[in-house]
């Protein structure tokens, strides 16, 4: 199915130069002169190699139709993730590279959505947000107001993020799995 390049989203699968690619990141760039273009980071499904490609926003790409299937994440086994089908209890192995930068946000027993083409896993979606504990956070600087800049923090999964000044180590916060950005304090 053809679609405009500017409609690509992370997690989609496209066919380009005779190979299947999973879209990892997109960035629309509008230079001072000339038309806007889209910078896409993508990974070859077969080889796992990454590639950056640019398209003009008016260009079209071939988007492949994927079948979505829900699995439960069990555990990591070397370079693979072991997923369980909640209906048949069969185990499926997918490479850890399928998640890219989102891998630290995968937790045991998490429900994940796997995109399949002809039964082969080509992409995986995590829940949009997860709740994690803040392992380390810089102390509040005296005179710093809540409206000022965020401070660095390290989460329980090892990921780094920026949090508001009032967040301290030991607190549970909600972050986006897409980029690890702070959403809010965890309720309850």
């Amino acid at each position: 199915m053809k679609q405009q390049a500017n409609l690509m989203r992370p997690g989609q699968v496209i066919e380009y130069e005779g190979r299947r690619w999973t879209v990892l990141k997109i960035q629309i760039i509008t230079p001072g002169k000339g038309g806007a273009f889209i910078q896409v980071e993508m990974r070859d499904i077969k080889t796992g190699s990454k590639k950056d490609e640019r398209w003009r926003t008016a260009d079209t790409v071939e988007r492949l139709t994927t079948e979505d299937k829900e699995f439960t994440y069990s555990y990591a086994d070397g370079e693979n993730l072991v997923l369980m089908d909640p209906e048949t209890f069969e185990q499926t192995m997918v490479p850890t590279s399928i998640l890219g930068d989102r891998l630290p946000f995968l937790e045991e027993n998490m429900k994940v959505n796997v995109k399949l083409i002809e039964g082969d896993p080509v992409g995986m979606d995590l829940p949009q947000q997860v709740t994690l504990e803040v392992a380390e956070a810089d102390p509040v600087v005296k005179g710093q107001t809540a409206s000022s800049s965020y401070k660095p923090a390290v989460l329980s999964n090892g990921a780094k993020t920026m949090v508001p000044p009032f967040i301290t180590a030991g607190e549970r916060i909600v972050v986006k799995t897409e980029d690890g950005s702070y959403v809010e304090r965890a309720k309850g």
Side-chain angles (χ1 to χ4, degrees):
M1 174 176 90
K2 294 261 185 216
Q3 79 171 21
Q4 277 190 290
N6 63 341
L7 298 176
M8 276 194 276
R9 297 288 173 259
Q12 286 184 343
V13 179
I14 63 167
E15 191 165 313
Y16 179 66
E17 294 179 340
R19 292 164 39 198
R20 293 176 176 166
W21 302 84
T22 301
V23 176
L24 301 174
K25 290 181 188 169
I26 61 153
Q27 183 179 6
I28 295 178
I29 300 168
T30 313
K33 274 186 174 172
F37 59 89
I38 185 165
Q39 175 85 25
V40 179
E41 184 181 315
M42 52 193 192
R43 184 180 31 259
D44 186 319
I45 291 169
K46 276 208 168 68
T47 66
S49 62
K50 284 186 180 178
K51 179 178 184 167
D52 284 343
E53 193 62 49
R54 285 183 175 186
W55 282 278
R56 291 190 316 268
T57 53
D59 290 345
T60 58
V61 292
E62 186 66 33
R63 179 179 170 196
L64 299 175
T65 306
T66 56
E67 174 194 348
D68 290 3
K69 187 160 176 43
E70 191 175 269
F71 286 90
T72 304
Y73 169 65
S74 295
Y75 59 92
D77 181 15
E79 289 294 307
N80 290 308
L81 303 172
V82 179
L83 306 176
M84 186 182 70
D85 186 325
E87 292 165 19
T88 64
F89 301 105
E90 282 182 36
Q91 290 188 336
T92 302
M93 306 274 270
V94 296
T96 55
S97 61
I98 205 166
L99 277 174
D101 299 342
R102 299 172 299 155
L103 185 60
F105 298 103
L106 185 64
E107 298 172 344
E108 270 186 40
N109 299 321
M110 182 181 271
K111 299 251 184 274
V112 295
N113 184 44
V114 178
K115 294 181 181 327
L116 304 165
I117 292 182
E118 296 163 10
D120 294 331
V122 294
M124 190 156 108
D125 293 330
L126 298 177
Q128 288 190 324
Q129 299 176 343
V130 292
T131 302
L132 294 167
E133 189 173 309
V134 176
E136 299 170 31
D138 290 354
V140 176
V141 177
K142 190 173 179 169
Q144 190 176 27
T145 62
S147 64
S148 72
S149 62
Y150 281 24
K151 63 183 183 179
V154 178
L155 302 173
S156 56
N157 66 355
K160 293 181 168 88
T161 190
M162 299 297 282
V163 297
F166 56 82
I167 299 292
T168 57
E171 282 192 74
R172 292 181 58 77
I173 62 169
V174 177
V175 294
K176 289 182 184 174
T177 55
E178 185 182 339
D179 57 8
S181 61
Y182 170 85
V183 177
E184 63 185 1
R185 263 188 180 143
K187 294 172 178 63

